Amino acid sequence: MPMPRHLSHLLLLLLCVLGSACTSDKQEAGNSGTDLNSSGTDSLEALQEETARKDTTVFRDAFEQFFTALQAADTAALNRFIHPELGVWMIEQPGALPKMTHVTDISAFKREYQDRSFFTVAEEVKACELSEEPFPTFDCAAMDYEAGETGYSKDGCFVWKPGKFQKSGYWNYANLSPSQIRQIEAMLPLVRRSVLHTNTSFEFHFGYIDQQWRLLFAKLIYPCSA
C-alpha cells in the first residue's frame, strides 16, 4: 500500500533535520579536536621554553661557581666540575696541529707553554659576564691585540648551544688513538652549553651529568697562531 503523500513529506523533512544535526555535530567535534591539538602544541612549546629558562638559570649559577673557583685557584672546588670517570679534555695548539690532553685532576695538568697550571687561565680570563646569544663571527684579518681588536664581530663572554664545537673535529687531527677518539665522540653529545671568551678566544664546554654541570672540554687556543 503506497505511503500517503503527507507522510512522505514528513519523513523527508525528518531525515533532513537529522542529517543537518549530524553534520553540525561532526563539525563541532572536528573543531574541538583542532582546538585541543593547538592547545597541546602551545602547552608543549611553553613547557620547553620554561625548561630552557630554568636550564639557563641553573647553568649561570654553576658557571659562576666554576669561575670563582678558577679565580681563587681552588683545586678542590674546580675538581668538582670534572667527572671522575669522563674527565675533561684540554685542547691546545702548540704548533700546526692541535694537542688534546685528558685530565681527571686539575692539579696534574700543565699547559703546553712553560708548563703553566690551568689556574693561569685566570690571568687572561679576568671577567666573564655571560650573555646568552650565538657566538660572534671571527676574522683573522681584523685581529690586532695591540690595538685592542680581538677579530670578533662582538666582544664579551657568550654562552650558547654547542653545535659548532661538536662539529669542529679537533680530535681528528690531535694524534690520538682510535680508542681515545671513540671516547671523545661518546662525550660530545653530553655537551649542552658552550662558553666563549672573545678576549682570549678560549672556550669552555659543559655537560649536565649526575645532577651536576661538568666541564667536559676546554679549548685554550689563541686564534691565527698556527
Side-chain angles (χ1 to χ4, degrees), residues 100-114:
M100 295 186 67
T101 306
H102 187 245
V103 178
T104 54
D105 180 355
I106 201 65
S107 64
F109 173 69
K110 299 298 181 182
R111 297 174 66 181
E112 181 67 23
Y113 178 67
Q114 295 181 346

Side-chain angles (χ1 to χ4, degrees), residues 193-207:
R193 287 290 186 276
S194 292
V195 173
L196 166 68
H197 179 259
T198 61
N199 283 351
T200 56
S201 200
F202 291 170
E203 296 178 11
F204 307 93
H205 305 278
F206 294 83

Side-chain angles (χ1 to χ4, degrees), residues 30-119:
N31 291 338
S32 176
T34 301
D35 291 341
L36 287 173
N37 290 337
S38 176
S39 176
T41 301
D42 292 344
S43 298
L44 179 59
E45 291 178 352
L47 179 61
Q48 290 173 336
E49 290 177 1
E50 179 65 19
T51 301
R53 283 195 294 270
K54 289 181 179 179
D55 197 40
T56 299
T57 300
V58 172
F59 175 73
R60 284 178 178 274
D61 292 342
F63 183 79
E64 185 175 345
Q65 295 172 21
F66 166 80
F67 192 74
T68 299
L70 175 64
Q71 297 295 321
D74 188 335
T75 300
L78 205 54
N79 271 338
R80 285 195 286 271
F81 283 90
I82 301 177
H83 192 276
E85 296 177 4
L86 296 176
V88 54
W89 284 91
M90 302 293 183
I91 310 173
E92 301 175 279
Q93 190 159 340
L97 297 176
K99 175 186 177 182
M100 295 186 67
T101 306
H102 187 245
V103 178
T104 54
D105 180 355
I106 201 65
S107 64
F109 173 69
K110 299 298 181 182
R111 297 174 66 181
E112 181 67 23
Y113 178 67
Q114 295 181 346
D115 285 337
R116 296 177 296 169
S117 78
F118 181 78
F119 292 106

